[in-house]
Amino acid sequence: MAAHPFGFLDIIFHAPTLRASANPTPAERLDYFALCLACHHATVATFIPTDVDSKIRGVLWQAREEPAQYRCMLDVTLQAMKWDISKISTRFSQLSGVGPVSGHNGETLGVLGGALGCFIKNNDAEYAELAAQTIDAEFAREAHEFNYVLNLNDHEIDLLKLASSLTHNCGDMDQGISFWSKTENYTAYRARFGRLAHENTAPYGGTFHIAAHLYKRIMSAEGHRHYPLREVRALRASPDFLLPLGPFFDDWGEKIGAHPALSTAERAEVLAALLNGCKKIPNQLGYYRAIAGLLRAFNGPLDKLTRLMPAAQRQLLKDPEVKRHIALKKVSFESSMKKKAQAALAGIGRSH
């Protein structure tokens, strides 16, 4: 089922036929691993992601399986790397021709990290090498995309988005590595794949160090999990409402402000949630940009929205900080972000 671009959907639709038992067979355990992969793939870029990260990165690679079973798990993971993301995420870049680069790639890197540790621990040199080669190829592909965009003119916004994805993906790889046995010798693999967004600057020409520098200097406040929006059920109704990479939410806000599938009450609920997010998440800018877009696109007087919100949120809309941010035009905001990117690159001796 996994071996085609929408294999994750086939696996999810097949889930009701799976048996849960106290003593599952190897085939049932493999089905469970595949189901976790599929559910995670389908939801990780949505408002309500699954919470199976530790299972697919570590726990299921540490069960007492036969070596052949672990090989099957890696085979499924390699198929999962080819699953389509176009209908379940808007958070990807594909400008250089090497396919989409997104946070989904980090999720599979974390799984591959768990697999590599498992094969080394179990002395399966062939599949350890297969896992390592796959990790290396994926990091090289992402570095290629980043460096391609780095050398384009007037693409600082794309570069900042990529910096977020690449830094996230390094973190996922580090999470996979965290499950490695403390008694095995993984030194060479840690040097190749570990801490790429931190002190390990040598691999891949230091590309991930540059991405992390941009991320930490400019984008880190946008790396939160969007908890304020999780309760807004209307946002789960359509893939049109999937969030892009923050803080570039102006267009998304305009979509919320004018989308025919949303009622005025639902728009008011989204606006209230965004205002709560502005208050609760320090230094983020994305929700301000979403509010600015929403109010620009809304067809009607503002009080038509605000009277449907609780009093506390109506007050937040009057806050000077909120008013200052949403008064900033999209072009001015993005121009300021481009200048920040240029300054950050100049600070490490890199420029377009």
Side-chain angles (χ1 to χ4, degrees):
M1 289 183 180
H4 66 90
F6 290 95
F8 65 97
L9 287 177
D10 283 353
I11 292 169
I12 291 169
F13 292 146
H14 182 67
T17 70
L18 301 180
R19 283 194 313 117
S21 59
N23 296 296
T25 66
E28 289 168 346
R29 290 194 295 271
L30 180 62
D31 282 344
Y32 178 68
F33 173 75
L35 179 60
C36 288
L37 276 182
C39 291
H40 197 59
H41 179 87
T43 63
V44 72
T46 71
F47 293 102
I48 312 291
T50 58
D51 188 20
V52 297
D53 309 61
S54 62
K55 292 181 183 293
I56 57 179
R57 293 172 182 165
V59 173
L60 295 176
W61 293 102
Q62 296 175 336
R64 295 179 179 177
E65 302 286 2
E66 293 296 319
Q69 186 76 353
Y70 289 127
R71 288 187 166 204
C72 289
M73 288 168 61
L74 181 61
D75 292 341
V76 173
T77 303
L78 297 179
Q79 292 169 339
M81 294 180 74
K82 301 174 184 177
W83 287 344
D84 190 274
I85 65 169
S86 64
K87 303 294 189 295
I88 55 175
S89 177
T90 58
R91 305 174 191 175
F92 56 86
S93 168
Q94 48 182 355
L95 296 174
S96 72
V98 296
V101 171
S102 75
H104 271 81
N105 304 125
E107 304 302 328
T108 48
L109 279 168
V111 179
L112 290 167
L116 176 57
C118 168
F119 292 123
I120 295 171
K121 182 179 179 180
N122 289 286
N123 299 310
D124 188 338
E126 180 184 350
Y127 262 60
E129 183 58 23
L130 175 59
Q133 288 178 355
T134 306
I135 294 168
D136 181 60
E138 176 55 33
F139 274 136
R141 187 183 72 90
E142 295 180 22
H144 175 85
E145 177 81 2
F146 186 88
N147 287 314
Y148 177 85
V149 176
L150 179 63
N151 290 303
L152 292 176
N153 290 323
D154 196 32
H155 275 266
E156 290 88 351
I157 300 300
D158 293 312
L159 194 69
L160 288 172
K161 292 177 181 179
L162 268 171
S164 290
S165 294
L166 266 62
T167 305
H168 163 274
N169 294 356
C170 291
D172 280 342
M173 185 67 211
D174 289 340
Q175 288 295 316
I177 288 174
S178 73
F179 287 95
W180 290 1
S181 168
K182 301 297 187 290
T183 60
E184 306 293 329
N185 184 7
Y186 296 102
T187 303
Y189 292 108
R190 290 183 191 276
R192 285 174 68 182
F193 305 133
R195 305 282 295 175
L196 297 180
H198 299 281
E199 73 280 358
N200 189 9
T201 62
Y204 310 101
T207 296
F208 293 94
H209 176 65
I210 298 168
H213 177 75
L214 286 171
Y215 177 78
K216 292 169 186 175
R217 284 278 300 271
I218 303 169
M219 304 286 283
S220 60
E222 311 302 327
H224 54 89
R225 296 177 181 270
H226 300 293
Y227 289 115
L229 299 180
R230 290 193 178 185
E231 296 303 316
V232 185
R233 298 185 67 86
L235 290 177
R236 310 178 207 170
S238 169
D240 290 347
F241 305 143
L242 289 168
L243 272 177
L245 283 167
F248 307 103
F249 290 165
D250 279 80
D251 292 345
W252 181 84
E254 290 185 4
K255 188 178 296 182
I256 298 300
H259 200 285
L262 293 174
S263 67
T264 302
E266 288 169 332
R267 281 186 245 281
E269 187 181 5
V270 177
L271 178 57
L274 291 167
L275 287 163
N276 278 337
C278 291
K279 181 180 178 182
K280 292 180 178 179
I281 302 169
N283 303 316
Q284 68 78 37
L285 298 174
Y287 288 178
Y288 294 116
R289 303 315 314 156
I291 293 169
L294 191 160
L295 296 181
R296 277 198 305 271
F298 180 64
N299 183 22
L302 181 57
D303 68 349
K304 189 176 179 181
L305 277 178
T306 57
R307 69 179 180 229
L308 298 173
M309 299 193 309
Q313 280 68 52
R314 291 200 298 270
Q315 278 303 118
L316 284 175
L317 199 54
K318 299 176 183 178
D319 182 275
E321 183 75 357
V322 174
K323 292 173 72 173
R324 179 178 69 83
H325 277 290
I326 64 177
L328 186 66
K329 293 181 179 179
K330 176 187 175 183
V331 65
S332 299
F333 170 71
E334 293 191 352
S335 177
S336 71
M337 295 298 286
K338 290 178 181 181
K339 289 176 182 176
K340 288 180 182 179
Q342 291 163 1
L345 289 170
I348 54 173
R350 296 294 294 262
S351 61
H352 290 273

